[in-house]
Amino acid sequence: MADVQLNKPLYKEEGIDTFVQPIPRPPRASLLGRGAAVFLDIMFLHLVFAGVVRFIPDVPLALGPLAPWVGLLLGFLYFGIGFSHLTLGRTLGKLITRVQVAEIAGPDLPLGRAFLRAGLFLWPLPVQLLLRNIAEHYAGTNPTSIYTSIEVFGTMLIFGWVLGNLGFAAFDPYGRTVYDRAADSVVINAELEAEPVAAYLADVRTASLEPPLRRSITTLGLALTVCMAFAAASSISIMRQLRDLTPVARERVQALVVPQFGRAWPAPPLSEAVTTETIPVSFHFRKRGHVDAEALKADVATTGTFERLIANTTGPDFMEEIQDYINSSNMDRMKRGEAPTSAPERIQFELSFVEYADLFFAKEAHPVYTLSREIDLPTSITELQ
C-alpha cells in the first residue's frame, strides 16, 4: 500500500520545494483604480457633509452664505493632506484601491507640493461656486435674467477638466495628469518593494524633462472646448426661451420671487392630506442661513407673493391648460377601452420658506414657515366633456 502524504504542497514542481509565486503588480497605477479612488473620496465627503446638514444643521445655517465655501475649504484640506507624506500619499479612496501619490524625486510628496496638487485638481470647483453665487445674486429678483444660465459654464468647466485630464493621463507614458506634472508627482500602486519603485521613479524623472505628448495636450484642449461649447449652446437656448416668454408667462415667473429670498423652486407637497380629488401645487423659497419665522409672518411681501402666485396660476390660460390636459388624458383612456377618471375638484397651494443648509458637497432644506390654501376649480373643468 502506497504511503499517504498529508499537507502536500500545491503546485509543487518535480524536485523543487517551492510554491508558484503570484505575479507582482507593476508600479504604474491604472486609470480605473485612480478614478475609483476619486469617486470614493467624493462620496465620503458627501456623506460626511450630508450628515452635518441633516443632523446638526445649526452649523451650516449659522455660516449662511459662507457655508459652501467652508465645505469647499474642508474638501481642499482633505485632499491636500491626503496627497502628502503625512498619510503616505493616500486618501481614504486611495487606501481602498491601494494606490498612492508619490513625488518623482522620492516616495513621499511634501506638504506644499501636495496642496499645490490639490489646488490644481480642484480649481474648477471654486469657479463654479463663484458663478453660482453671481447667478443667484443678480437673478434672484429677476428669474428671466441671463444670469440664470451662467452657472452652466462652471459645471461644464468641471466636466471638461476631469475628462481632459483623464485623456492626458491616458496618453502619458506614466499616467501623469496636468496637475501631476505641475506638482512633480506621480500616482503609483501602493505596498510595493522599494527597488522597483525607485527604478520606476527614476524613469519618471527622466521623462519629466521632456515636453508632454501632443496627443495629451490635444485631448485636454478638446475636452475643455467641447464642454464649453455645450455650455454656450445651453446658455443661448435659455436666452431664447426667456426672450420668447409671453407677458402672461413672465407674470407667472415673476410671481415666484420674494425680494429678500430670491426664486422659488417646485417641491413635493408638505401636506399628507392631499387626496385624488385635489391637484397639489407646492413651491419652496430657499435662503441660506437661519430664517426668522415670526418676521416672515409679519412681512407683507410674503403674503403678497402667495396671492400673486395663486392669481397667476388660476387665471384663464392656466385653467384652459388643465382642462385640455384632463380631456386629452380621458380621451386616451377611452380609446384604450378604460373608464374615464374623475377630474380633480380643487387645487391645494403650499408655499414654504426654508432654511437652506449647504456645505457644497451636500444640501438640505429645512422648512420653517408654510402657507397653504385650497382653491375650487371651475365647474367647466371638473365636468367631463
Side-chain angles (χ1 to χ4, degrees):
M1 181 175 179
D3 295 335
V4 178
Q5 297 183 12
L6 300 178
N7 299 325
K8 184 178 181 180
L10 298 176
Y11 309 109
K12 180 179 179 182
E13 296 184 7
E14 192 68 29
I16 303 178
D17 293 332
T18 58
F19 294 99
V20 175
Q21 299 295 328
I23 300 175
R25 293 188 302 157
R28 174 174 174 170
S30 67
L31 286 179
L32 181 61
R34 296 173 61 178
V38 173
F39 174 78
L40 291 173
D41 287 328
I42 295 297
M43 290 302 299
F44 169 71
L45 290 174
H46 174 73
L47 290 176
V48 171
F49 291 156
V52 172
V53 299
R54 171 64 65 88
F55 300 107
I56 47 176
D58 287 344
V59 175
L61 291 176
L63 293 171
L66 291 177
W69 294 99
V70 172
L72 182 58
L73 177 62
L74 293 175
F76 172 67
L77 293 175
Y78 170 81
F79 282 106
I81 295 174
F83 294 159
S84 72
H85 67 280
L86 298 177
T87 58
L88 301 180
R90 284 184 280 185
T91 59
L92 179 63
K94 286 180 170 53
L95 186 65
I96 295 174
T97 58
R98 298 176 66 192
V99 298
Q100 70 181 81
V101 179
E103 187 187 22
I104 61 174
D108 297 325
L109 192 65
L111 196 61
R113 293 274 183 86
F115 276 105
L116 173 62
R117 187 181 192 274
L120 295 174
F121 172 60
L122 298 173
W123 75 266
L125 300 185
V127 173
Q128 192 269 348
L129 180 56
L130 178 63
L131 293 178
R132 189 182 77 180
N133 289 345
I134 292 174
E136 290 181 352
H137 176 75
Y138 285 98
T141 57
N142 183 14
T144 62
S145 170
I146 180 55
Y147 288 102
T148 56
S149 64
I150 196 174
E151 187 180 348
V152 179
F153 283 92
T155 304
M156 287 299 101
L157 182 63
I158 296 174
F159 280 103
W161 183 245
V162 172
L163 295 176
N165 274 280
L166 284 175
F168 196 101
F171 289 112
D172 187 88
Y174 299 95
R176 303 174 74 199
T177 59
V178 175
Y179 43 87
D180 278 321
R181 279 186 167 270
D184 286 337
S185 62
V186 64
V187 180
I188 62 175
N189 283 320
E191 304 168 6
L192 300 180
E193 297 292 334
E195 292 184 2
V197 170
Y200 182 76
L201 294 180
D203 294 339
V204 177
R205 287 195 297 273
T206 303
S208 66
L209 301 177
E210 302 175 357
L213 297 176
R214 182 177 299 179
R215 287 181 297 177
S216 300
I217 298 177
T218 302
T219 304
L220 176 62
L222 181 62
L224 289 171
T225 302
V226 170
C227 289
M228 289 299 101
F230 178 82
S234 301
S235 298
I236 292 173
S237 175
I238 293 173
M239 288 175 60
R240 288 179 176 176
Q241 293 178 16
L242 296 177
R243 183 193 62 188
D244 296 337
L245 283 178
T246 63
V248 175
R250 285 181 180 273
E251 289 180 5
R252 287 189 195 172
V253 175
Q254 197 65 33
L256 301 179
V257 174
V258 168
Q260 67 269 33
F261 271 81
R263 291 170 292 172
W265 284 263
L270 297 176
S271 174
E272 299 179 356
V274 178
T275 65
T276 56
E277 299 177 349
T278 304
I279 300 177
V281 178
S282 183
F283 293 93
H284 275 342
F285 277 108
R286 303 189 305 214
K287 183 179 181 180
R288 291 191 180 92
H290 283 292
V291 177
D292 188 348
E294 296 301 323
L296 279 175
K297 294 177 183 179
D299 186 12
V300 178
T302 301
T303 307
T305 300
F306 197 37
E307 296 296 337
R308 285 190 294 120
L309 172 66
I310 294 176
N312 281 279
T313 53
T314 55
D317 293 337
F318 183 72
M319 291 302 173
E320 288 181 6
E321 293 177 9
I322 294 179
Q323 188 175 26
D324 292 340
Y325 172 77
I326 292 173
N327 290 337
S328 61
S329 175
N330 281 308
M331 287 296 295
D332 292 338
R333 293 180 63 87
M334 287 187 288
K335 287 179 180 178
R336 296 194 300 266
E338 302 174 2
T341 58
S342 59
E345 298 178 354
R346 61 185 65 89
I347 304 176
Q348 178 174 326
F349 289 93
E350 285 184 349
L351 185 64
S352 59
F353 296 83
V354 301
E355 300 172 331
Y356 196 54
D358 181 3
L359 279 176
F360 192 73
F361 289 104
K363 306 173 180 65
E364 187 78 16
H366 302 273
V368 295
Y369 179 52
T370 301
L371 296 170
S372 180
R373 186 175 303 175
E374 286 191 353
I375 304 294
D376 291 333
L377 287 171
T379 307
S380 60
I381 291 181
T382 58
E383 289 181 353
L384 297 178
Q385 299 180 359

